[in-house]
Amino acid sequence: MSTGPTGSADSNGETRPSGQAAPSDPNHEALPLADAAQVRAEVRLALKGGTRRVVGVVLLLTLGAAAGLVTPAALGAVVDAVAEGQGAERIWLLAALIAGGALLAAVADGFGQVGATRLVERILASTRERMVARGLALPRAALERAGAGDLVSRSGDDVAVVAEAAPLVVPAIAGSAFSIAMTVVGMAVLDWRFAVAAVLVVAPVHVLTLRWHRRAAPDVYEAERAAMARRAHHLLASLRGIETVHAFGLSRPHGKRIAVASWEVAKWSVRAQTVVNGFFARLNFAEFLGMSSILVVGFWLVREGQGTVGAATTAMLFFLRLFDPINRLMIVVDDLTSALASMRRIVGVIVADRFAAPERGEPADEAAAEADGVHFAYTPGHPVLEGVSLRIGPKETVALVGSSGAGKSTLAALVAGVLEPDAGTVAVAARPGGQAVALVTQEVHVFDGTLRENLDLVRPGASDAELEAALRAVGADSLLALPDGLDSGVGARGSELTPAQAQMLALARVVLLDPLLAVLDEATAEAGSADSAALDAAGVAALQGRAGLLVAHRLDQAAQADRIVVMEHGRIVEEGTHESLAAADGPYAHAWALWSRGRA
């Protein structure tokens, strides 16, 4: 089923395109951020069943780290062998050890890194799929409150950040941790004073650097992501309402809004880069201190006769080898912090329990839907609906009519489950194993793909005969006449459908879905007078055999309904059949008289 934005009403009763709630709106509520425990739980879930792979990666990285110690140790021994004249055989043996150790370290580390990367990609793929599935399942009301830019930014910008950082971060952390541990052990075996000198001088600088980074970076990165979400929100709002923007000359204020949001992104990006620069400056200072301490200790040991030049050389090579994984580990901390900020936003969508649509009860009788004493306001203090009650029978078609801003589309959205009432209840008949309600609005979407893919998305596995029957039922024979039939490409890169064809496609989806209740919010209002008769017939076909709630844009459409409900200022002012209302001296009779006179 394809549904478009239902529109939202402001305090003056005017409609605004959905998803364009400004961040300053008191109703704005961003999607939540996950905490560290929730992120860890999501990672564990993604790794479920992969324990053997994790153990294998750990063993490979440990083996690589241990083999990597052979080269610096052998190089130090070469220095002593030359100084002591131990002969060519000793040097060739050490050279063979260097080659073998380097080869083993490269192979083990390479396979370990590949295994770690695969584990990371597994986690990322699982998390991305769960986020998209949860995001698509979020109730429309939650997206209205959060703004479309929030979800788009999380599924776009944040997924890109994690996808770019994770394959670098996790293998670097895993490999570096083992390398650091093994190298410190090697330095201690060589001479405990080398290990103590390196650790006591370098460790405090790194600890202070990490503490500073943990204080400064997370807030900056999260603010940068939030600024990106606001920028995406304003861009989407302007693009979705581009026709209105042009029609009312709103390009300047919309452009200013986008420029302000873009400048906020730029400011936070500069702050983020400042954090990065300060981080690397501290790392360079730690490396300088560490090398200096090793040289001082080595000089002292050689002078005192407690060590050799070869041992000092080995210690320096160990330190250089130690500092490389330390640097890699510290460097990826910045990427890790950025990725974790994005992971909190991604997992926040998955665990957005408070945004779940509340359970709706079933009507007490056999009605398809029932609203009882419903109140609703987009902005507090400016009610759109006040105490509205409505019952729709199991096979009854009810038409909503009234002036613009009367609350018709809002009531339709509440019945369809797109919005949640502030007070009162909305009950809809349940349908085990099937869709209870389908909503089609004025703005329908044609997905980029084949005609078949646009149809069977609401009923996977439907046969060609069923797809063709649904199209013929709503009079969309012109779609079947496309060059490749159901395999014809439609959408952005295929055949461009007319507004009438797009609406018929959406109505065919309703036929395929076969819900108990179909809500048509001016679903046949866009195609123009030339196609009005065909679209009216398509709308009738879509409602055939099921209950229907029709937001009518023409009174002749309403006249065909089983019952007509007239709304004004958020209330129901009269209801009945067309004949009874036309004969009464009420708003509908006056509107019908004007309509009939105009048609005559």
Side-chain angles (χ1 to χ4, degrees), residues 557-592:
Q557 284 183 318
Q560 300 177 27
D562 299 318
R563 182 159 49 97
I564 299 171
V565 173
V566 184
M567 298 187 66
E568 289 297 337
H569 305 297
R571 298 177 181 273
I572 294 176
V573 294
E574 61 177 347
E575 60 181 304
T577 64
H578 167 71
E579 290 75 14
S580 64
L581 292 179
D585 186 22
Y588 182 83
H590 296 161
W592 179 255

Side-chain angles (χ1 to χ4, degrees), residues 23 51 76 84 171 204 250 253 295 309 322 347 353 362 384-385 435 494 585:
T51 305
E84 297 171 6
L250 300 176
L295 288 174
V309 175
L322 174 67
V347 178
D353 293 332
E362 296 185 42
V384 177
L385 296 178
Q435 185 88 5
D585 186 22

